[in-house]
Amino acid sequence: MANYLTIELEIDVYGADVDRWSTRTDSARRSFAEALGEGEDPDSSSECILLAVPFMPSRPKSISDIDELVEEYCQTIPAMNPRARQALAEYGRRWEVVIDTVVPVGRACSVKLLEQRPWVDAPSPVMKQELAFGDAATTHIEIRAADHSVVLDKPSVSDVLEQHHDLDICDEIRPTADTVAIYASDPDRPYVARVGIRARVRPAHRWIIISVLALVVGAGAVAAILPDDELLVESLALLTFPLTLAGVVVLSRDATPLAERLLRRWRVGLAAAIVALWVLTLVRLLLSAGF
């Protein structure tokens, strides 16, 4: 935090300064977290005012300016009414979207919003996202895998504190192999829900890589114990070349981005096993030649 403020504000900020400001704002930070009822969030700019300081119209020019800003912040937050404090706490975590559009009179219409989010912790097969869950009379969430080689497991739905799960806050969850639908209409459901789902590559695609990897590993074990005789070169060639060709074919197969991401660890493991097999083969050949 000290480095962040020093670079953004172009003033010298030290760790002791940050510790002092953090201690002073601790009560206000906890009041924001309690107002929203979603636990603490270290990335919230309303709970950590220091994150927002470089983006303020009147940027502080000295440590004393930040001291005054922090003091004013700590005095203002307790004086706010609960609804205002809750709204400000939410603005520190999420963006509100305002859509400027023309709605036809007397006809049903729909407005679609497209948002791209990163898959955190990739290539982990589990994807978690926090979604607006209670901002309408009813909620319908549909999750699709636009990839025929990938299947979806039954999702998990919970509030952000993970105190209530699945049918406690949903009316129904309908999973199929490539589509998952979530329905909710309870007026007491949480405003924000955390949805987690696991994606898996179909066994027919996954077991091809696993099988070749197992054969390469087995070939490496055999290559390590082959007797050092006149048939060593032929035996190593018989083990190495066919499996290398098979591994290259498997690794060069045209995979979709999603399947490639889910199989990344297996693909890296197969490539590493092929390299290790060649290293072992070369070592055995050099040792047999007297090097």
Side-chain angles (χ1 to χ4, degrees), residues 178-202:
D178 53 4
T179 305
V180 173
I182 302 171
Y183 303 91
S185 60
D186 187 349
D188 295 329
R189 67 188 185 277
Y191 184 79
V192 177
R194 180 176 291 133
V195 179
I197 191 165
R198 181 185 180 91
R200 295 181 292 106
V201 178
R202 293 183 185 273

PDB file of all heavy atoms in Angstrom, residues 178-202:
ATOM      1  N   ASP A 178     -24.759 -30.092 -20.897  1.00  0.00           N
ATOM      2  CA  ASP A 178     -24.117 -28.878 -21.422  1.00  0.00           C
ATOM      3  C   ASP A 178     -24.856 -27.594 -21.076  1.00  0.00           C
ATOM      4  O   ASP A 178     -24.463 -26.521 -21.522  1.00  0.00           O
ATOM      5  CB  ASP A 178     -23.974 -28.973 -22.942  1.00  0.00           C
ATOM      6  CG  ASP A 178     -25.294 -29.288 -23.633  1.00  0.00           C
ATOM      7  OD1 ASP A 178     -26.317 -29.350 -22.934  1.00  0.00           O
ATOM      8  OD2 ASP A 178     -25.289 -29.475 -24.855  1.00  0.00           O
ATOM      9  N   THR A 179     -25.918 -27.678 -20.272  1.00  0.00           N
ATOM     10  CA  THR A 179     -26.670 -26.491 -19.880  1.00  0.00           C
ATOM     11  C   THR A 179     -27.135 -26.633 -18.439  1.00  0.00           C
ATOM     12  O   THR A 179     -27.552 -27.714 -18.024  1.00  0.00           O
ATOM     13  CB  THR A 179     -27.897 -26.272 -20.795  1.00  0.00           C
ATOM     14  OG1 THR A 179     -27.468 -26.219 -22.145  1.00  0.00           O
ATOM     15  CG2 THR A 179     -28.606 -24.978 -20.446  1.00  0.00           C
ATOM     16  N   VAL A 180     -27.065 -25.537 -17.703  1.00  0.00           N
ATOM     17  CA  VAL A 180     -27.566 -25.506 -16.331  1.00  0.00           C
ATOM     18  C   VAL A 180     -28.484 -24.297 -16.198  1.00  0.00           C
ATOM     19  O   VAL A 180     -28.123 -23.196 -16.613  1.00  0.00           O
ATOM     20  CB  VAL A 180     -26.416 -25.414 -15.310  1.00  0.00           C
ATOM     21  CG1 VAL A 180     -26.964 -25.202 -13.909  1.00  0.00           C
ATOM     22  CG2 VAL A 180     -25.563 -26.671 -15.355  1.00  0.00           C
ATOM     23  N   ALA A 181     -29.682 -24.512 -15.639  1.00  0.00           N
ATOM     24  CA  ALA A 181     -30.640 -23.426 -15.439  1.00  0.00           C
ATOM     25  C   ALA A 181     -30.938 -23.290 -13.951  1.00  0.00           C
ATOM     26  O   ALA A 181     -31.131 -24.289 -13.254  1.00  0.00           O
ATOM     27  CB  ALA A 181     -31.927 -23.688 -16.219  1.00  0.00           C
ATOM     28  N   ILE A 182     -30.947 -22.053 -13.475  1.00  0.00           N
ATOM     29  CA  ILE A 182     -31.216 -21.748 -12.074  1.00  0.00           C
ATOM     30  C   ILE A 182     -32.394 -20.771 -12.020  1.00  0.00           C
ATOM     31  O   ILE A 182     -32.387 -19.763 -12.734  1.00  0.00           O
ATOM     32  CB  ILE A 182     -29.980 -21.138 -11.389  1.00  0.00           C
ATOM     33  CG1 ILE A 182     -28.785 -22.084 -11.496  1.00  0.00           C
ATOM     34  CG2 ILE A 182     -30.271 -20.801  -9.935  1.00  0.00           C
ATOM     35  CD1 ILE A 182     -27.478 -21.467 -11.036  1.00  0.00           C
ATOM     36  N   TYR A 183     -33.392 -21.079 -11.200  1.00  0.00           N
ATOM     37  CA  TYR A 183     -34.573 -20.234 -11.066  1.00  0.00           C
ATOM     38  C   TYR A 183     -34.734 -19.828  -9.601  1.00  0.00           C
ATOM     39  O   TYR A 183     -34.543 -20.645  -8.686  1.00  0.00           O
ATOM     40  CB  TYR A 183     -35.839 -20.972 -11.523  1.00  0.00           C
ATOM     41  CG  TYR A 183     -35.771 -21.488 -12.943  1.00  0.00           C
ATOM     42  CD1 TYR A 183     -35.293 -22.772 -13.205  1.00  0.00           C
ATOM     43  CD2 TYR A 183     -36.170 -20.705 -14.016  1.00  0.00           C
ATOM     44  CE1 TYR A 183     -35.229 -23.259 -14.504  1.00  0.00           C
ATOM     45  CE2 TYR A 183     -36.113 -21.183 -15.318  1.00  0.00           C
ATOM     46  CZ  TYR A 183     -35.642 -22.461 -15.554  1.00  0.00           C
ATOM     47  OH  TYR A 183     -35.569 -22.931 -16.838  1.00  0.00           O
ATOM     48  N   ALA A 184     -35.128 -18.576  -9.373  1.00  0.00           N
ATOM     49  CA  ALA A 184     -35.341 -18.082  -8.017  1.00  0.00           C
ATOM     50  C   ALA A 184     -36.380 -16.968  -8.049  1.00  0.00           C
ATOM     51  O   ALA A 184     -36.362 -16.126  -8.954  1.00  0.00           O
ATOM     52  CB  ALA A 184     -34.042 -17.579  -7.400  1.00  0.00           C
ATOM     53  N   SER A 185     -37.286 -16.979  -7.068  1.00  0.00           N
ATOM     54  CA  SER A 185     -38.321 -15.943  -6.980  1.00  0.00           C
ATOM     55  C   SER A 185     -38.642 -15.546  -5.550  1.00  0.00           C
ATOM     56  O   SER A 185     -39.496 -14.697  -5.331  1.00  0.00           O
ATOM     57  CB  SER A 185     -39.602 -16.429  -7.671  1.00  0.00           C
ATOM     58  OG  SER A 185     -40.092 -17.612  -7.050  1.00  0.00           O
ATOM     59  N   ASP A 186     -37.967 -16.152  -4.587  1.00  0.00           N
ATOM     60  CA  ASP A 186     -38.217 -15.825  -3.181  1.00  0.00           C
ATOM     61  C   ASP A 186     -37.836 -14.366  -2.922  1.00  0.00           C
ATOM     62  O   ASP A 186     -36.690 -13.972  -3.170  1.00  0.00           O
ATOM     63  CB  ASP A 186     -37.399 -16.755  -2.288  1.00  0.00           C
ATOM     64  CG  ASP A 186     -37.746 -16.594  -0.813  1.00  0.00           C
ATOM     65  OD1 ASP A 186     -38.458 -15.623  -0.467  1.00  0.00           O
ATOM     66  OD2 ASP A 186     -37.289 -17.420  -0.001  1.00  0.00           O
ATOM     67  N   PRO A 187     -38.750 -13.548  -2.433  1.00  0.00           N
ATOM     68  CA  PRO A 187     -38.401 -12.136  -2.187  1.00  0.00           C
ATOM     69  C   PRO A 187     -37.327 -11.949  -1.131  1.00  0.00           C
ATOM     70  O   PRO A 187     -36.703 -10.881  -1.065  1.00  0.00           O
ATOM     71  CB  PRO A 187     -39.733 -11.519  -1.753  1.00  0.00           C
ATOM     72  CG  PRO A 187     -40.579 -12.674  -1.301  1.00  0.00           C
ATOM     73  CD  PRO A 187     -40.163 -13.839  -2.125  1.00  0.00           C
ATOM     74  N   ASP A 188     -37.098 -12.953  -0.297  1.00  0.00           N
ATOM     75  CA  ASP A 188     -36.083 -12.852   0.752  1.00  0.00           C
ATOM     76  C   ASP A 188     -34.727 -13.412   0.317  1.00  0.00           C
ATOM     77  O   ASP A 188     -33.824 -13.536   1.145  1.00  0.00           O
ATOM     78  CB  ASP A 188     -36.553 -13.601   2.005  1.00  0.00           C
ATOM     79  CG  ASP A 188     -37.779 -12.955   2.634  1.00  0.00           C
ATOM     80  OD1 ASP A 188     -37.908 -11.726   2.515  1.00  0.00           O
ATOM     81  OD2 ASP A 188     -38.604 -13.683   3.215  1.00  0.00           O
ATOM     82  N   ARG A 189     -34.579 -13.753  -0.946  1.00  0.00           N
ATOM     83  CA  ARG A 189     -33.304 -14.291  -1.413  1.00  0.00           C
ATOM     84  C   ARG A 189     -32.238 -13.190  -1.382  1.00  0.00           C
ATOM     85  O   ARG A 189     -32.565 -12.005  -1.441  1.00  0.00           O
ATOM     86  CB  ARG A 189     -33.443 -14.859  -2.823  1.00  0.00           C
ATOM     87  CG  ARG A 189     -33.715 -13.831  -3.913  1.00  0.00           C
ATOM     88  CD  ARG A 189     -34.024 -14.542  -5.226  1.00  0.00           C
ATOM     89  NE  ARG A 189     -34.175 -13.629  -6.346  1.00  0.00           N
ATOM     90  CZ  ARG A 189     -35.285 -12.974  -6.638  1.00  0.00           C
ATOM     91  NH1 ARG A 189     -36.356 -13.117  -5.859  1.00  0.00           N
ATOM     92  NH2 ARG A 189     -35.339 -12.178  -7.689  1.00  0.00           N
ATOM     93  N   PRO A 190     -30.959 -13.557  -1.293  1.00  0.00           N
ATOM     94  CA  PRO A 190     -29.898 -12.545  -1.221  1.00  0.00           C
ATOM     95  C   PRO A 190     -29.814 -11.732  -2.498  1.00  0.00           C
ATOM     96  O   PRO A 190     -30.114 -12.218  -3.592  1.00  0.00           O
ATOM     97  CB  PRO A 190     -28.636 -13.378  -0.983  1.00  0.00           C
ATOM     98  CG  PRO A 190     -28.969 -14.735  -1.498  1.00  0.00           C
ATOM     99  CD  PRO A 190     -30.427 -14.934  -1.228  1.00  0.00           C
ATOM    100  N   TYR A 191     -29.402 -10.486  -2.348  1.00  0.00           N
ATOM    101  CA  TYR A 191     -29.279  -9.611  -3.508  1.00  0.00           C
ATOM    102  C   TYR A 191     -28.139 -10.057  -4.416  1.00  0.00           C
ATOM    103  O   TYR A 191     -28.222  -9.938  -5.641  1.00  0.00           O
ATOM    104  CB  TYR A 191     -29.034  -8.172  -3.049  1.00  0.00           C
ATOM    105  CG  TYR A 191     -28.984  -7.178  -4.184  1.00  0.00           C
ATOM    106  CD1 TYR A 191     -30.159  -6.717  -4.781  1.00  0.00           C
ATOM    107  CD2 TYR A 191     -27.773  -6.714  -4.674  1.00  0.00           C
ATOM    108  CE1 TYR A 191     -30.118  -5.821  -5.833  1.00  0.00           C
ATOM    109  CE2 TYR A 191     -27.717  -5.813  -5.733  1.00  0.00           C
ATOM    110  CZ  TYR A 191     -28.894  -5.368  -6.302  1.00  0.00           C
ATOM    111  OH  TYR A 191     -28.846  -4.491  -7.349  1.00  0.00           O
ATOM    112  N   VAL A 192     -27.075 -10.574  -3.828  1.00  0.00           N
ATOM    113  CA  VAL A 192     -25.920 -11.074  -4.584  1.00  0.00           C
ATOM    114  C   VAL A 192     -25.695 -12.528  -4.191  1.00  0.00           C
ATOM    115  O   VAL A 192     -25.721 -12.868  -3.010  1.00  0.00           O
ATOM    116  CB  VAL A 192     -24.655 -10.242  -4.309  1.00  0.00           C
ATOM    117  CG1 VAL A 192     -23.451 -10.822  -5.061  1.00  0.00           C
ATOM    118  CG2 VAL A 192     -24.868  -8.795  -4.720  1.00  0.00           C
ATOM    119  N   ALA A 193     -25.499 -13.379  -5.180  1.00  0.00           N
ATOM    120  CA  ALA A 193     -25.249 -14.796  -4.932  1.00  0.00           C
ATOM    121  C   ALA A 193     -23.937 -15.205  -5.587  1.00  0.00           C
ATOM    122  O   ALA A 193     -23.512 -14.621  -6.584  1.00  0.00           O
ATOM    123  CB  ALA A 193     -26.390 -15.653  -5.466  1.00  0.00           C
ATOM    124  N   ARG A 194     -23.315 -16.205  -5.005  1.00  0.00           N
ATOM    125  CA  ARG A 194     -22.080 -16.762  -5.558  1.00  0.00           C
ATOM    126  C   ARG A 194     -22.419 -18.098  -6.215  1.00  0.00           C
ATOM    127  O   ARG A 194     -22.894 -19.020  -5.556  1.00  0.00           O
ATOM    128  CB  ARG A 194     -21.028 -16.942  -4.471  1.00  0.00           C
ATOM    129  CG  ARG A 194     -19.723 -17.524  -4.986  1.00  0.00           C
ATOM    130  CD  ARG A 194     -18.676 -17.584  -3.891  1.00  0.00           C
ATOM    131  NE  ARG A 194     -18.240 -16.247  -3.512  1.00  0.00           N
ATOM    132  CZ  ARG A 194     -18.131 -15.838  -2.250  1.00  0.00           C
ATOM    133  NH1 ARG A 194     -18.454 -16.641  -1.253  1.00  0.00           N
ATOM    134  NH2 ARG A 194     -17.713 -14.607  -1.977  1.00  0.00           N
ATOM    135  N   VAL A 195     -22.170 -18.180  -7.505  1.00  0.00           N
ATOM    136  CA  VAL A 195     -22.469 -19.382  -8.274  1.00  0.00           C
ATOM    137  C   VAL A 195     -21.151 -20.041  -8.662  1.00  0.00           C
ATOM    138  O   VAL A 195     -20.263 -19.396  -9.229  1.00  0.00           O
ATOM    139  CB  VAL A 195     -23.291 -19.055  -9.540  1.00  0.00           C
ATOM    140  CG1 VAL A 195     -23.571 -20.324 -10.335  1.00  0.00           C
ATOM    141  CG2 VAL A 195     -24.603 -18.377  -9.162  1.00  0.00           C
ATOM    142  N   GLY A 196     -21.030 -21.294  -8.335  1.00  0.00           N
ATOM    143  CA  GLY A 196     -19.840 -22.060  -8.697  1.00  0.00           C
ATOM    144  C   GLY A 196     -20.229 -23.278  -9.509  1.00  0.00           C
ATOM    145  O   GLY A 196     -21.227 -23.940  -9.215  1.00  0.00           O
ATOM    146  N   ILE A 197     -19.474 -23.572 -10.545  1.00  0.00           N
ATOM    147  CA  ILE A 197     -19.782 -24.724 -11.394  1.00  0.00           C
ATOM    148  C   ILE A 197     -18.485 -25.363 -11.857  1.00  0.00           C
ATOM    149  O   ILE A 197     -17.481 -24.676 -12.092  1.00  0.00           O
ATOM    150  CB  ILE A 197     -20.657 -24.300 -12.593  1.00  0.00           C
ATOM    151  CG1 ILE A 197     -21.185 -25.528 -13.312  1.00  0.00           C
ATOM    152  CG2 ILE A 197     -19.900 -23.386 -13.545  1.00  0.00           C
ATOM    153  CD1 ILE A 197     -22.320 -25.238 -14.253  1.00  0.00           C
ATOM    154  N   ARG A 198     -18.529 -26.656 -11.986  1.00  0.00           N
ATOM    155  CA  ARG A 198     -17.347 -27.419 -12.403  1.00  0.00           C
ATOM    156  C   ARG A 198     -17.532 -27.883 -13.846  1.00  0.00           C
ATOM    157  O   ARG A 198     -18.567 -28.478 -14.182  1.00  0.00           O
ATOM    158  CB  ARG A 198     -17.141 -28.629 -11.485  1.00  0.00           C
ATOM    159  CG  ARG A 198     -15.926 -29.480 -11.832  1.00  0.00           C
ATOM    160  CD  ARG A 198     -15.883 -30.717 -10.954  1.00  0.00           C
ATOM    161  NE  ARG A 198     -14.729 -31.546 -11.267  1.00  0.00           N
ATOM    162  CZ  ARG A 198     -13.552 -31.432 -10.681  1.00  0.00           C
ATOM    163  NH1 ARG A 198     -13.360 -30.527  -9.756  1.00  0.00           N
ATOM    164  NH2 ARG A 198     -12.544 -32.231 -11.016  1.00  0.00           N
ATOM    165  N   ALA A 199     -16.559 -27.601 -14.675  1.00  0.00           N
ATOM    166  CA  ALA A 199     -16.567 -28.046 -16.065  1.00  0.00           C
ATOM    167  C   ALA A 199     -15.558 -29.172 -16.227  1.00  0.00           C
ATOM    168  O   ALA A 199     -14.463 -29.114 -15.680  1.00  0.00           O
ATOM    169  CB  ALA A 199     -16.237 -26.889 -16.999  1.00  0.00           C
ATOM    170  N   ARG A 200     -15.959 -30.196 -16.984  1.00  0.00           N
ATOM    171  CA  ARG A 200     -15.082 -31.342 -17.195  1.00  0.00           C
ATOM    172  C   ARG A 200     -15.049 -31.688 -18.680  1.00  0.00           C
ATOM    173  O   ARG A 200     -16.061 -31.605 -19.369  1.00  0.00           O
ATOM    174  CB  ARG A 200     -15.577 -32.565 -16.405  1.00  0.00           C
ATOM    175  CG  ARG A 200     -15.535 -32.418 -14.908  1.00  0.00           C
ATOM    176  CD  ARG A 200     -16.029 -33.678 -14.222  1.00  0.00           C
ATOM    177  NE  ARG A 200     -17.452 -33.908 -14.437  1.00  0.00           N
ATOM    178  CZ  ARG A 200     -17.954 -34.840 -15.242  1.00  0.00           C
ATOM    179  NH1 ARG A 200     -17.146 -35.628 -15.936  1.00  0.00           N
ATOM    180  NH2 ARG A 200     -19.249 -34.975 -15.383  1.00  0.00           N
ATOM    181  N   VAL A 201     -13.879 -32.080 -19.144  1.00  0.00           N
ATOM    182  CA  VAL A 201     -13.760 -32.599 -20.506  1.00  0.00           C
ATOM    183  C   VAL A 201     -14.334 -34.010 -20.523  1.00  0.00           C
ATOM    184  O   VAL A 201     -14.129 -34.794 -19.588  1.00  0.00           O
ATOM    185  CB  VAL A 201     -12.293 -32.600 -20.957  1.00  0.00           C
ATOM    186  CG1 VAL A 201     -12.158 -33.182 -22.362  1.00  0.00           C
ATOM    187  CG2 VAL A 201     -11.733 -31.190 -20.913  1.00  0.00           C
ATOM    188  N   ARG A 202     -15.059 -34.331 -21.568  1.00  0.00           N
ATOM    189  CA  ARG A 202     -15.670 -35.657 -21.662  1.00  0.00           C
ATOM    190  C   ARG A 202     -14.603 -36.747 -21.566  1.00  0.00           C
ATOM    191  O   ARG A 202     -13.476 -36.587 -22.068  1.00  0.00           O
ATOM    192  CB  ARG A 202     -16.445 -35.790 -22.968  1.00  0.00           C
ATOM    193  CG  ARG A 202     -17.665 -34.887 -23.055  1.00  0.00           C
ATOM    194  CD  ARG A 202     -18.434 -35.093 -24.331  1.00  0.00           C
ATOM    195  NE  ARG A 202     -19.527 -34.136 -24.442  1.00  0.00           N
ATOM    196  CZ  ARG A 202     -20.743 -34.312 -23.936  1.00  0.00           C
ATOM    197  NH1 ARG A 202     -21.003 -35.450 -23.288  1.00  0.00           N
ATOM    198  NH2 ARG A 202     -21.687 -33.409 -24.079  1.00  0.00           N
TER     199      ARG A 202
END
